[in-house]
Amino acid sequence: MPRPFFHKLILSTTLQDKKLRIPDNFIKKFRDELSVAAALTVPDGHVWRVGIKKVDNKAWFKEGWQEFVERYYIRVGYFLIFRYEGNSAFSVSIFDLYNSEINYQTNALVGTQYNLGRQYPFEELEDDECVSPAMPNLFGAELPKLKKPGRKKQKFQPSEEDSSLGHEDDMEMRNRFYESASARKRIVTAEERERAINAAKAFEPTNPFCRVVLRPSYLYRGCIMYLPSCFAEQHLSGVSGFIKLQLPDGRQWPVRCLYRGGRAKFSQGWYEFTLENNLGEGDVCVFELLRSREFVLKVTVFRVMESTGLMDRSQ
């Protein structure tokens, strides 16, 4: 008989809360079996003890969960499958942004070294630049079986039906997430990327501006995009609410912008802006401050794929 399992999509709020909620349907069936701690076994053989916090009919992985996330460098958009083995024990499989099962040894090494203060060019890489007149010009599903070390990585197909005990909300969120991701997934060559970056470098507005290379994590539903710290500190300090993103043709989109701790991020409205304007991985956005009182940012886009059309100065 198949063992029960549930799945969870990692959102930005999941990482911020530093805990993971266990689906209600699973808790309804197995609540009495779960102790105060769970054993999470990953395919590399490591077993992690994670506390289970129960409140009424809800439960979360709490104590030790953040250490597990950091160890395997779990980021926004990752997808985790928990297979219940009984007696509060789970086998956990982790899938990355491209629906591929991670290399557990490599991710563990990256997570460990990142937490020791060594920056690695993955999700936290600031692949962007900012410029103002007073600054120098910087650009300066079938449930996978438990994986043994050395075995070929599996590919998770989120479109396949499964018998998960998880929330219907989780299923809907997963489907919406991957629909938005796969629709704009593209293979970008180094030459295409370099061409877009060089074109963006040659474009220097007279107003303060910054450049951002779009990563996959900036394009998925529910995710956020950070602007360069140097630009945010000088021009977006104190912003907390909706600003306007304006294209060269004058069309505008409202996007929620929040400045905190020296950083500014786009959240609500950003996904719709990228979707409606067909933005994709590797495209370079130049954000130019037009009006600081109303916070209007003009967006000029240099695309990696010419077939998708240009939104640069020629328009």
Side-chain angles (χ1 to χ4, degrees):
M1 181 177 179
R3 283 167 287 185
F5 69 95
F6 63 88
H7 52 259
K8 297 294 291 188
L9 175 65
I10 302 300
L11 303 175
S12 57
T13 53
T14 311
L15 300 181
Q16 293 167 4
D17 294 341
K18 298 185 178 181
K19 62 183 179 181
L20 185 73
R21 184 169 173 179
I22 303 172
D24 292 347
N25 288 348
F26 183 89
I27 293 300
K28 184 183 300 184
K29 188 170 183 178
F30 296 102
R31 188 180 193 281
D32 295 337
E33 288 187 28
L34 299 178
S35 64
V36 296
L40 306 183
T41 302
V42 293
D44 66 1
H46 284 80
V47 180
W48 292 78
R49 299 283 292 180
V50 175
I52 297 179
K53 179 181 179 180
K54 299 178 183 178
V55 178
D56 298 328
N57 294 321
K58 301 180 178 63
W60 294 262
F61 290 133
K62 178 64 173 173
E63 291 79 12
W65 171 252
Q66 183 62 22
E67 288 74 13
F68 178 79
V69 169
E70 292 175 355
R71 174 70 176 182
Y72 291 101
Y73 206 66
I74 297 172
R75 318 307 295 162
V76 172
Y78 278 35
F79 192 81
L80 278 61
I81 297 178
F82 296 81
R83 181 172 58 189
Y84 188 52
E85 308 289 353
N87 298 320
S88 301
F90 296 84
S91 298
V92 185
S93 298
I94 306 171
F95 297 84
D96 62 19
L97 292 170
Y98 299 99
N99 307 346
S100 295
E101 192 170 13
I102 67 169
N103 183 315
Y104 295 90
Q105 289 80 7
T106 300
N107 271 51
L109 176 62
V110 170
T112 300
Q113 293 178 325
Y114 180 85
N115 293 321
L116 289 176
R118 296 178 59 184
Q119 299 287 334
Y120 277 76
F122 290 91
E123 183 66 20
E124 297 300 328
L125 173 65
E126 290 217 347
D127 193 5
D128 47 36
E129 295 192 19
C130 60
V131 180
S132 70
M135 297 173 60
N137 183 9
L138 303 175
F139 200 96
E142 177 184 353
L143 183 65
K145 298 179 180 179
L146 188 62
K147 173 181 166 183
K148 297 180 181 179
R151 187 169 58 82
K152 184 178 181 181
K153 291 194 299 182
Q154 299 190 38
K155 191 80 170 180
F156 178 63
Q157 300 296 339
S159 60
E160 295 180 4
E161 295 183 359
D162 60 47
S163 57
S164 170
L165 292 170
H167 241 169
E168 289 184 3
D169 290 344
D170 287 339
M171 178 69 77
E172 181 182 357
M173 175 65 77
R174 182 194 70 171
N175 290 337
R176 290 170 61 195
F177 180 94
Y178 283 118
E179 283 173 3
S180 67
S182 60
R184 289 181 290 169
K185 184 176 179 181
R186 58 173 62 161
I187 299 176
V188 181
T189 67
E191 292 76 14
E192 290 172 330
R193 183 182 177 89
E194 183 178 3
R195 183 178 64 243
I197 290 176
N198 288 337
K201 281 184 178 180
F203 177 48
E204 297 186 5
T206 56
N207 296 313
F209 68 100
C210 65
R211 303 180 181 99
V212 177
V213 180
L214 298 183
R215 317 169 193 168
S217 59
Y218 287 169
L219 300 168
Y220 297 157
R221 185 189 298 274
C223 293
I224 59 179
M225 192 201 77
Y226 283 96
L227 292 170
S229 299
C230 50
F231 181 82
E233 290 174 354
Q234 291 204 9
H235 306 291
L236 297 176
S237 179
V239 174
S240 179
F242 282 89
I243 67 171
K244 294 179 180 178
L245 299 184
Q246 178 177 308
L247 295 184
D249 63 9
R251 291 179 296 154
Q252 294 183 337
W253 278 260
V255 173
R256 185 173 181 82
C257 181
L258 175 64
Y259 177 88
R260 180 179 297 169
R263 304 189 74 185
K265 64 181 180 182
F266 292 155
S267 54
Q268 185 179 350
W270 167 249
Y271 170 78
E272 287 74 18
F273 176 81
T274 65
L275 188 65
E276 292 175 25
N277 291 289
N278 196 29
L279 301 185
E281 177 186 353
D283 290 344
V284 184
C285 291
V286 179
F287 296 93
E288 178 185 354
L289 183 63
L290 294 186
R291 294 189 291 275
S292 59
R293 180 172 297 181
E294 300 176 1
F295 288 108
V296 177
L297 295 178
K298 180 181 177 181
V299 185
T300 304
V301 180
F302 297 87
R303 301 182 182 276
V304 293
M305 300 182 69
E306 296 178 351
S307 60
T308 59
L310 296 174
M311 290 166 50
D312 57 18
R313 288 179 296 177
S314 63
Q315 289 189 343

